[in-house]
Amino acid sequence: MAAGRRARMEETRAKLVRAARAAFAEKGYAAASMDDLTAAAGLTRGALYHHFGDKKGLLRAVIDALDAEMVAAARAARSRAATPWLGFLEEGVAYIELALEPEIQRIVLLDGPAVLGDPSQWPGQTACLRTTTETIQSLIDAGTVRPVDAEAAARLINGAALNAALWVAASDEPRAVLAKAIEAFRCLAAGLLADGR
């Protein structure tokens, strides 16, 4: 009985997240009405309030889902690289490139910060910081990266990638800005390399 109820609750949450994701991507957060997105999900406002508290809570859930997809795409880019260092670079570049995806651009990089505040404080960014710190520490241990504080370097690298993505998303010419952002990101990251590399 409890397992069936839990499955129905998860299904309801998933329907609301899918409907909100489509509405936020198409209309933007401000223009997406709760009545329209609950109707699209075949549910009531009560279901939205029960599962997410309010529209802002639903936006958090949509961003969490998109963030998980972004992490998977960045890690896939990393896994295709020939070396751990190149994988580290490609992961950051892939993250910046995701700013060209219309859904990510509008929901995560434009509406998200406007509604939820500083993205560097979001739970997904905190998890990303831990992973980047571990990666940098392993590159230091391997002698690829000079001996610096791994967390400090991770904060700066993640901040550079996040701000580059925000810049691309907000630009009138995202593709032109993307090329500049990636070039600068690679130059900044190269400063971490140990001498002679």
Side-chain angles (χ1 to χ4, degrees):
M1 181 85 157
R5 183 168 187 258
R6 192 174 312 116
R8 285 191 301 278
M9 288 178 68
E10 286 304 314
E11 182 182 338
T12 297
R13 283 181 61 84
K15 282 182 181 178
L16 285 165
V17 169
R18 278 193 305 273
R21 182 173 173 166
F24 296 159
E26 181 185 334
K27 300 175 182 179
Y29 174 82
S33 85
M34 290 195 304
D35 290 334
D36 289 344
L37 66 91
T38 53
L43 298 164
T44 64
R45 260 192 194 214
L48 186 150
Y49 292 130
H50 174 75
H51 289 281
F52 301 102
D54 57 13
K55 186 178 168 186
K56 197 173 181 179
L58 185 54
L59 176 63
R60 275 190 204 96
V62 170
I63 287 175
D64 287 347
L66 283 166
D67 188 53
E69 292 172 20
M70 292 171 73
V71 167
R75 289 199 177 138
R78 177 183 179 173
S79 70
R80 291 188 297 269
T83 67
W85 169 254
L86 292 175
F88 173 69
L89 282 181
E90 290 311 309
E91 187 173 11
V93 168
Y95 181 87
I96 298 166
E97 289 173 338
L98 286 167
L100 293 180
E101 296 291 329
E103 246 186 348
I104 290 169
Q105 191 176 86
R106 182 169 214 169
I107 298 170
V108 177
L109 299 171
L110 297 175
D111 287 349
V115 176
L116 302 176
D118 180 7
S120 70
Q121 301 302 310
W122 297 352
Q125 289 293 323
T126 302
C128 186
L129 176 63
R130 277 193 307 273
T131 302
T132 305
T133 302
E134 291 166 5
T135 300
I136 290 173
Q137 187 60 58
S138 70
L139 290 167
I140 291 168
D141 294 345
T144 306
V145 166
R146 63 181 74 214
V148 295
D149 184 88
E151 182 182 349
R155 287 183 179 277
L156 294 173
I157 289 293
N158 282 10
L162 173 60
N163 279 288
L166 291 167
W167 181 35
V168 170
S171 170
D172 291 335
E173 296 181 34
R175 289 203 179 275
V177 168
L178 177 69
K180 295 178 202 176
I182 289 173
E183 180 184 11
F185 177 80
R186 287 182 186 279
C187 287
L188 285 170
L192 291 172
L193 285 170
D195 292 340
R197 295 215 174 235

